[in-house]
């Protein structure tokens, strides 16, 4: 019998066998992939837009919303961005062996990336930015050999950047870890990413120096490290980093000579070194890159002058050298830079005149030359900049007349000429600037009347002509009347409303107005008495109908019957309505049977707010609430509107807001019930304990060490950002002061008295001016014209920041005739180089640079012009960027 010969399979058959075996291990069938995706869906806890409604059993997964497949029918892409999905990421996705792209940015996923994802070797793009992921950066992502794009930005990651993240990154092109809470240094292992084209680690808490190894990455061009705590000297690295095109180092702690050598790199287009401690001067720029479009070196300590060779940067669109110590004059060669959109030279020591040549920059949109030493007249040629939106040349020594041709700048939104020596009259043609929102001509020597044409400026938000020599009657147009008397004050010849100065009959002068007292006629008195009798009859009938009603309405409303004092002129029975939002409060009638007067025990008074007194009330079981009693009850006339507004506040939920827990309404009393915050308010803790009997004992400023103060600033900023940006419509506070920032048991901040702006309106504006008498906290535009915007809150928040850093009150008196305004005091010391003299001497164990950065933010927030203040969202970002181990 012939033996069987053992034969080897042919090579092509062996290859086929290996391929099939690999596929059997690396991929799953479409039916199984459906199960994987449904497991992913099962981890979703919220899908408000029903994005995953097509993800159902029995349907081809390639037809699921956001899912794409390759030619073989296997899932290759999952793209679900800005869909508001919430939940945790399912480990089951590791079963998708062909998955190349996972894009989930702009959702609300929490937790962290499952470790099972480290086995999806086919992945080359992961984008989970703008979610709520937390924990440490997963090290296993460094084992994904094919990853090209990794974006974990805008989450809640903390800890250091693991060096292992860059252990196998030879194919990686871009990495973003920005807007997290990362700390520590930038690992040198990033140099392993030899094909890296850019990385963004901005808005974290990173420290240390930039690794020198990154200049060895040949393709690196994009580098963003703004808003961290990085330090060191960069000048030595310039010669090795030849390919960079985008360099953003703003808001760090870099020092030494400013690295202007980067401006000579052939590809550099964006250069931002603002808000650091660089010294030196702007060098000769004859070799400036033709690609450079953005140059910001503001808020440093640069000196000398702006070189004439700046014009070599012919492609420049944005130029900001403000807040330095630059002297000399504005180079006339700047007029040849035809591409410029923004010029900011303000707050330096520059002198001389405004070059006529600036008028040749036709595309210019912003010209900021404030607080310099400029002399001469305003050039007529500026009118050629017809796209200009902001012209600020305030705080100089300019004289002459305001050019009448400024009306050519039809896009102008801000015209600030205050604090100069301008004379002549206000041009009628300014009334043609229909887009103007800010017009400040105060503190000059202008004369003549106020042109009636200015009444055509319908969207004007800030207007001031005070401290001039204007005369005549103020035009009787609503636009002017809304700004109040302060906008026209200190013009001896002006008369008419809103000034309390009457115009003479001949129009030749002004005389103080005398108002004749009004006397009621006999018929009017009879009518009032008759009306009072009718109202009394209605009240008596109502009392008879409801005297015995004591019942609970719905699940959160309680009717309460109260008796008034026997000697009162009112009825001796009052029916009240109590509405509770919180389930933690007693909800039975018996718990509230004692009536509202039991809630207002004078021995439990804890404060006096802008519209009423605040009491502490306690129930059995240790539950305490704060009760605010609104004053002047006769001015509240609409119960439905009151309930609607307080009901809206009851729906707001934020860690740093005092929670509104209910309200009470009766014909004689209105109460707002909120959670009780045990450690009092920030003002008392900073400046001295409260004398109110119901307040808790506290440790005062000694308990407010720097880390706690920083957290108070950050928490307050987050609360305001929530009110401004997350609420629809936005909620303005308009009464921010340290009295309204309460401190919980851990000295965490709780913002109170928010959302009362509309409530005050319902009170017929009662308390409006009273709420704005928080001296030192009120934004100039609010004090002068009652023009409100979110920037009013930003200003007040800036004062809070300065209060936290200095420990001083917003306004202090050093004698009978000397008043110190905190904003001005800090700005003066900072300009003189004595910033440390501002610090609260009671503080211990702090980083001086952190205090300076917070102080600078406070000064930016308290800028005179609203447009120069950041939004609260931006303020939160800045505070988070300088947060380095500040947790208590």
């Amino acid at each position: 019998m012939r033996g069987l010969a053992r034969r080897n399979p042919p090579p092509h058959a062996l290859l086929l066998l290996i391929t099939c075996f690999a596929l059997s291990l690396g991929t799953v069938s479409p039916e199984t992939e459906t199960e994987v995706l449904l497991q992913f869906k099962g981890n979703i806890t919220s899908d408000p837009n029903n994005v995953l409604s097509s993800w159902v059993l029995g349907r081809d997964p390639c037809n699921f919303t956001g899912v794409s497949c390759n030619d073989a029918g296997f899932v290759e892409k999952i793209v679900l961005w800005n869909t508001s999905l919430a939940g945790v990421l399912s480990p089951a996705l590791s079963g998708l062996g062909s998955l190349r792209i996972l894009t989930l940015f702009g959702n609300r996923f929490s937790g962290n990336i499952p470790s099972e994802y480290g086995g999806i070797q086919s992945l080359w793009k992961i984008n989970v930015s703008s979610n709520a992921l937390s924990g440490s950066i997963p090290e296993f992502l460094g084992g994904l050999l094919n990853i090209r794009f990794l974006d974990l930005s805008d989450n809640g990651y903390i800890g250091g950047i693991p060096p292992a993240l860059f252990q196998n990154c030879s194919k990686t092109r871009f990495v973003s870890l920005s807007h997290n809470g990362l700390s520590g240094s930038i690992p040198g292992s990033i140099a392993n990413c030899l094909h890296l084209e850019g990385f963004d680690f901005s808005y974290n808490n990173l420290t240390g120096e930039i690794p020198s190894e990154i200049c060895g990455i040949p393709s690196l061009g994009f580098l963003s490290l703004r808003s961290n705590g990085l330090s060191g000297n960069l000048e030595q690295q310039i010669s090795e980093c030849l390919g960079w095109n985008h360099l953003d180092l703003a808001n760090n702690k870099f020092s030494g000579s400013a690295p202007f050598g980067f401006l000579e790199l052939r590809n550099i287009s964006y250069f931002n070194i603002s808000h650091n401690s660089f010294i030196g001067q702007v060098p000769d720029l004859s070799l400036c890159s033709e690609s450079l479009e953005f140059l910001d070196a503001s808020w440093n300590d640069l000196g000398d002058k702006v070189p004439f060779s700046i014009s070599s940067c012919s492609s420049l669109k944005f130029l900001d050298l403000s807040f330095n110590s630059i002297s000399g004059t504005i180079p006339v060669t700047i007029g040849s830079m035809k591409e410029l959109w923004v010029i900011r030279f303000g707050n330096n020591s520059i002198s001389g005149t405004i070059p006529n040549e600036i008028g040749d920059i036709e595309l210019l949109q912003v010209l900021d030359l404030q607080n310099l030493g400029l002399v001469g007249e305003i050039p007529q040629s500026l009118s050629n900049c017809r796209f200009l939106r902001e012209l600020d040349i305030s705080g100089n020594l300019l004289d002459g007349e305001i050019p009448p041709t400024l009306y050519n700048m039809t896009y102008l939104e801000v015209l600030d000429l205050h604090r100069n020596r301008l004379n002549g009259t206000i041009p009628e043609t300014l009334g043609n600037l229909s887009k103007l929102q800010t017009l400040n001509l105060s503190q000059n020597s202008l004369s003549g009347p106020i042109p009636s044409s200015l009444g055509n400026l319908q969207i004007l938000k800030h207007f001031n002509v005070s401290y001039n020599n204007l005369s005549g009657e103020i035009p009787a147009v609503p636009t002017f009347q809304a700004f109040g008397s302060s906008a026209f004050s200190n013009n001896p010849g002006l008369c008419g409303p809103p000034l309390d100065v009457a115009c003479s009959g001949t129009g030749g002068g002004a005389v103080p107005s005398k108002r004749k007292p009004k006397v009621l006629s006999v018929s009017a008195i009879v009518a009032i008495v008759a009306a009072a009798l009718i109202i009394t009859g209605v009240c008596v009938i109502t009392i008879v109908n409801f005297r015995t009603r004591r019942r609970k309405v719905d699940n959160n409303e309680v009717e309460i019957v109260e008796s008034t004092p026997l000697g009162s002129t009112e009825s001796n029975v009052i029916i009240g309505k109590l509405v509770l939002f919180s389930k933690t409060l007693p909800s039975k009638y018996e718990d509230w049977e004692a009536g509202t007067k039991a809630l207002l025990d004078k021995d439990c008074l804890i404060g006096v707010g802008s519209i009423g007194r605040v009491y502490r009330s306690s129930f059995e079981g240790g539950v305490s609430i704060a009760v605010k009693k609104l004053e002047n009850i006769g001015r509240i006339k609409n119960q439905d509107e009151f309930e609607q507004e307080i009901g809206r506040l009851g729906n707001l939920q934020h860690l740093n807001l005092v929670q509104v827990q209910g309200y009470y309404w009766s014909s004689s009393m209105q109460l707002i019930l909120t959670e009780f915050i045990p450690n009092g308010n920030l003002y008392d803790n900073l400046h001295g304990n409260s004398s109110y009997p119901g307040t808790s004992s506290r440790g005062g400023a000694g308990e407010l060490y720097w880390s706690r103060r920083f957290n108070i600033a950050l928490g307050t900023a987050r609360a305001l950002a929530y009110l401004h940006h997350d609420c629809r419509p936005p909620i303005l506070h308009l009464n921010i002061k340290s009295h309204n920032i309460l401190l919980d048991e851990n000295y965490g901040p709780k913002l109170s008295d928010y959302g009362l702006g509309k409530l005050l309106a319902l009170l017929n504006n009662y308390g409006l001016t009273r709420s704005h008498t928080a001296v030192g906290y009120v934004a100039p535009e609010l004090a002068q014209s009652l023009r409100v915007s979110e920037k009013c809150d930003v200003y007040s928040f800036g004062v809070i920041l300065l209060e936290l850093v200095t420990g001083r009150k917003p306004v202090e008196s050093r004698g009978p005739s000397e008043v110190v305004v905190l904003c001005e005091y800090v700005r003066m010391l900072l300009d003189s180089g004595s910033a440390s003299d501002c610090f609260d001497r009671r503080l211990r164990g702090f980083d001086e640079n952190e205090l300076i950065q917070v102080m600078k933010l406070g000064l930016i927030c308290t800028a005179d012009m609203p447009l120069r203040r950041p939004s609260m969202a931006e303020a939160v970002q800045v505070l988070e960027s300088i947060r380095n181990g500040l947790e208590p």
Side-chain angles (χ1 to χ4, degrees):
M1 187 175 175
R2 199 172 158 188
L4 293 175
R6 188 171 185 179
R7 300 177 59 186
N8 292 323
H12 64 274
L14 183 61
L15 179 61
L16 180 62
L17 180 63
I18 294 174
T19 302
C20 293
F21 179 72
L23 286 174
S24 67
L25 291 178
T27 62
V28 293
S29 68
E31 292 79 9
T32 306
E33 289 195 332
T34 300
E35 297 175 0
V36 168
L37 294 175
L38 291 179
Q39 289 185 52
F40 176 86
K41 180 181 178 180
N43 277 22
I44 303 297
T45 58
S46 177
D47 181 9
N49 301 315
N50 291 320
V51 176
L52 304 183
S53 59
S54 63
W55 291 37
V56 294
L57 190 64
R59 187 170 184 175
D60 185 354
C62 299
N63 294 326
F64 286 6
T65 300
V67 176
S68 300
C69 296
N70 57 23
D71 293 339
F74 295 106
V75 174
E76 184 179 48
K77 299 179 183 178
I78 298 177
V79 180
L80 297 167
W81 52 275
N82 285 340
T83 54
S84 299
L85 296 175
V88 296
L89 298 175
S90 171
L93 288 189
S94 61
L96 302 177
S98 299
L99 187 64
R100 299 177 67 226
I101 297 176
L102 179 62
T103 298
L104 301 173
F105 76 83
N107 287 289
R108 294 179 291 147
F109 287 105
S110 57
N112 207 336
I113 300 175
S115 59
E116 288 82 357
Y117 288 17
I120 314 177
Q121 288 298 325
S122 56
L123 275 172
W124 66 273
K125 178 178 180 178
I126 299 177
N127 187 349
V128 290
S129 62
S130 299
N131 277 281
L133 302 176
S134 59
S136 301
I137 298 290
E139 291 189 15
F140 62 79
L141 295 178
L144 297 175
L145 304 180
N146 292 302
I147 202 74
R148 267 80 162 175
F149 182 97
L150 177 62
D151 191 346
L152 309 181
S153 64
D154 199 9
N155 279 287
Y157 285 113
I158 58 175
I161 302 176
L165 186 65
F166 307 113
Q167 64 182 358
N168 294 301
C169 58
S170 60
K171 296 182 180 180
T172 305
R173 298 290 190 271
F174 186 84
V175 177
S176 178
L177 306 177
S178 68
H179 291 88
N180 281 287
L182 301 175
S183 56
S185 60
I186 301 173
S189 60
I190 195 172
N192 295 332
C193 310
L194 295 178
H195 293 92
L196 192 66
E197 297 175 4
F199 65 89
D200 184 355
F201 296 165
S202 60
Y203 295 100
N204 281 287
N205 303 316
L206 300 175
T207 55
E209 299 185 358
I210 299 177
S212 58
E213 296 92 333
I214 65 172
C215 288
I217 304 175
S219 56
L220 187 63
F222 182 99
L223 184 70
S224 180
L225 295 171
R226 74 177 302 151
S227 298
N228 280 286
L230 298 169
S231 57
N233 190 320
L234 301 177
E235 197 174 24
Q236 303 170 355
Q237 299 184 10
I238 297 174
S239 60
E240 301 177 11
C241 305
L242 301 178
W244 294 2
N245 56 61
H246 182 109
L247 178 61
D248 190 348
L249 305 177
N251 291 354
N252 277 284
K253 301 178 182 179
F254 293 111
S255 58
S257 298
F260 285 117
F262 282 106
L263 300 182
E264 298 180 4
L265 298 180
R266 181 169 57 89
N267 297 322
I268 195 74
S269 63
Y270 184 101
F271 179 79
N272 190 348
I273 58 170
S274 63
H275 292 270
N276 280 284
S277 300
F278 288 117
I279 59 175
Q281 65 187 51
V282 181
D284 177 73
L285 294 174
S286 300
L287 299 178
C288 181
S289 169
E290 295 181 358
S291 302
L292 186 65
E293 296 183 348
F294 187 101
L295 168 56
D296 188 352
S298 62
W299 290 89
N300 281 286
D301 195 19
L302 304 176
D304 205 8
K305 60 185 178 181
V306 182
F308 277 67
S309 58
I310 187 74
S311 58
S312 297
C313 304
S314 56
S315 300
L316 204 59
K317 291 181 170 63
F318 185 102
L319 175 60
D320 191 348
L321 299 176
S322 61
F323 291 94
N324 280 288
S325 301
I326 298 173
S327 57
T329 60
I330 300 174
V332 296
T333 55
I334 201 170
S336 65
M337 303 173 69
K338 307 297 185 183
E339 302 295 323
L340 272 174
W341 293 354
V342 175
I343 299 175
R344 295 192 186 276
F345 288 160
N347 294 281
N348 278 288
S349 300
I350 296 174
S351 57
T353 60
I354 301 176
N356 285 306
E357 288 78 3
I358 290 183
D360 296 335
I361 310 175
E362 186 178 0
L363 299 178
L364 193 64
Q365 296 183 31
V366 175
L367 179 60
D368 178 1
L369 305 177
Q370 63 169 314
N371 297 325
L372 300 172
L374 300 176
V375 297
E377 298 185 354
I378 301 174
Q380 295 268 0
S381 62
L382 288 184
S383 303
N384 298 330
C385 303
R386 55 193 182 94
F387 296 107
L388 203 64
R389 297 175 56 189
E390 178 183 336
L391 175 59
D392 188 348
I393 48 179
S394 62
N396 285 287
L397 304 172
L398 299 171
D399 53 26
E401 298 186 355
I402 300 174
T405 54
L406 293 183
Y407 73 90
N408 288 331
M409 299 184 293
T410 55
Y411 293 92
L412 199 63
E413 298 175 1
V414 176
L415 178 59
D416 193 345
L417 309 179
H418 86 279
R419 207 154 47 86
N420 278 289
R421 299 175 178 177
L422 300 173
N423 51 52
T425 60
I426 300 175
E428 287 268 359
T429 53
L430 293 185
N432 296 332
L433 299 174
S434 60
K435 297 183 182 296
L436 206 60
Q437 299 181 38
T438 296
L439 176 60
N440 194 342
L441 307 177
S442 64
Q443 302 180 60
N444 280 289
S445 299
L446 301 172
S447 58
I450 298 175
S452 58
S453 63
L454 297 186
N456 298 329
L457 305 177
Q458 297 298 317
I459 61 174
L460 204 60
K461 296 180 179 178
H462 179 76
F463 176 78
N464 197 341
V465 292
S466 62
Y467 292 92
N468 278 287
N469 298 317
L470 301 173
S471 59
E473 184 174 2
I474 298 174
V477 293
T479 303
F480 290 151
Q481 304 304 316
F483 291 105
S485 60
S486 60
F488 304 90
S489 64
N490 290 279
N491 285 282
L494 278 183
C495 61
L499 294 177
D500 193 20
V501 178
C503 298
S504 63
T506 60
V511 295
S513 64
K514 295 181 179 180
R515 298 180 180 176
K516 182 179 179 180
K518 296 181 180 179
V519 180
L520 293 175
S521 65
V522 175
S523 59
I525 295 174
V526 172
I528 292 174
V529 172
L533 291 174
I534 294 173
I535 293 173
T536 302
V538 172
C539 291
V540 170
I541 294 173
T542 302
I543 292 168
V544 171
N545 289 334
F546 291 99
R547 188 180 184 98
T548 59
R549 292 180 62 188
R550 296 187 179 187
R551 61 185 178 86
K552 184 176 179 181
V553 182
D554 296 328
N555 292 324
N556 63 341
E557 297 182 12
V558 179
E559 279 192 358
I560 296 178
V561 180
E562 298 187 41
S563 298
T564 56
L566 292 176
S568 173
T569 57
E570 301 175 4
S571 167
N572 64 346
V573 175
I574 298 173
I575 306 298
K577 178 181 179 181
L578 176 69
V579 177
L580 304 177
F581 305 139
S582 173
K583 297 184 181 298
T584 62
L585 295 180
S587 59
K588 295 180 180 179
Y589 171 81
E590 291 76 18
D591 296 314
W592 302 87
E593 189 174 11
T596 55
K597 293 179 180 59
L599 302 177
L600 306 179
D601 186 345
K602 64 181 180 180
D603 292 332
C604 295
L605 180 67
I606 58 177
V608 178
S610 59
I611 59 173
R613 294 175 177 268
V614 185
Y615 301 82
R616 176 181 180 178
S617 185
S618 300
F619 298 89
E620 292 184 5
V623 178
S624 293
I625 61 171
V627 182
K628 180 184 288 290
K629 178 181 182 294
L630 305 185
E631 293 182 353
N632 203 332
I633 59 175
R635 293 183 179 267
I636 301 177
K637 302 184 185 301
N638 192 320
Q639 178 178 354
D640 290 338
E641 288 183 333
F642 175 86
E643 291 184 287
Q644 181 179 359
E645 289 302 320
I646 302 303
R648 182 190 180 203
L649 298 182
N651 290 327
L652 301 182
Q653 299 288 332
H654 190 277
L655 176 65
N656 300 114
L657 289 179
V658 174
Q659 185 180 1
V660 177
Q661 297 184 326
Y663 63 87
Y664 170 84
W665 172 279
S666 76
S667 60
S668 63
M669 186 182 301
Q670 292 76 41
L671 308 177
I672 300 176
L673 314 179
T674 68
E675 63 176 324
F676 173 74
I677 309 301
N679 273 334
N681 62 58
L682 176 60
Y683 183 91
D684 291 337
N685 277 270
L686 271 179
H687 308 304
N689 287 343
S690 169
S691 60
Y692 295 117
T695 52
S696 304
S697 59
R698 296 178 298 275
E703 296 294 326
L704 293 182
Y705 38 84
W706 174 239
S707 60
R708 279 182 171 172
R709 296 192 192 191
F710 186 92
N711 285 337
I712 290 170
L714 182 57
T716 305
R718 286 170 173 166
L720 287 170
Y722 170 81
L723 294 175
H724 289 183
H725 304 295
D726 294 340
C727 296
R728 292 293 181 271
I731 295 177
L732 305 185
H733 194 292
L734 301 181
N735 192 23
I736 298 169
K737 52 186 178 181
S738 53
H739 290 89
N740 286 337
I741 298 175
L742 308 184
L743 305 179
D744 64 20
E745 60 273 12
N746 297 316
Y747 290 88
K750 296 273 191 176
L751 186 62
S752 68
D753 277 11
Y754 54 90
L756 297 184
K758 286 189 177 181
L759 179 60
L760 289 170
L762 298 178
L763 300 175
N764 294 332
N765 288 329
Y766 170 73
L768 185 59
T769 55
R770 185 173 167 189
S771 73
H772 294 157
T773 56
V775 180
Y777 293 98
V778 183
E781 69 273 16
L782 186 58
Q784 294 169 2
S785 62
L786 292 183
R787 293 284 180 147
V788 300
S789 72
E790 71 277 8
K791 294 303 178 72
C792 297
D793 286 349
V794 174
Y795 183 98
S796 303
F797 174 72
V799 178
I800 295 292
L801 292 181
L802 300 179
E803 198 173 353
L804 287 166
V805 171
T806 65
R808 291 176 173 268
K809 300 176 183 178
V811 176
E812 294 181 339
S813 176
R814 291 184 176 176
S817 60
E818 183 179 5
V819 175
V820 178
V821 179
L822 181 57
C823 298
E824 299 173 358
Y825 169 80
V826 173
R827 190 169 279 110
M828 176 190 68
L829 288 181
L830 192 63
D831 290 343
S832 65
S834 305
S836 59
D837 292 343
C838 299
F839 301 160
D840 189 344
R841 299 303 177 192
R842 296 168 294 182
L843 287 174
R844 295 291 183 270
F846 59 85
D847 184 338
E848 179 174 325
N849 188 67
E850 290 166 358
L851 268 71
I852 292 177
Q853 293 295 333
V854 173
M855 188 165 59
K856 285 183 176 180
L857 176 59
L859 292 178
I860 296 173
C861 290
T862 53
D864 284 342
M865 293 186 59
L867 292 176
R868 290 221 179 85
R869 302 171 202 154
S871 67
M872 284 311 307
E874 291 170 335
V876 170
Q877 289 180 345
V878 172
L879 286 171
E880 289 178 341
S881 72
I882 60 177
R883 184 178 189 175
N884 281 314
L886 300 181
E887 296 290 343

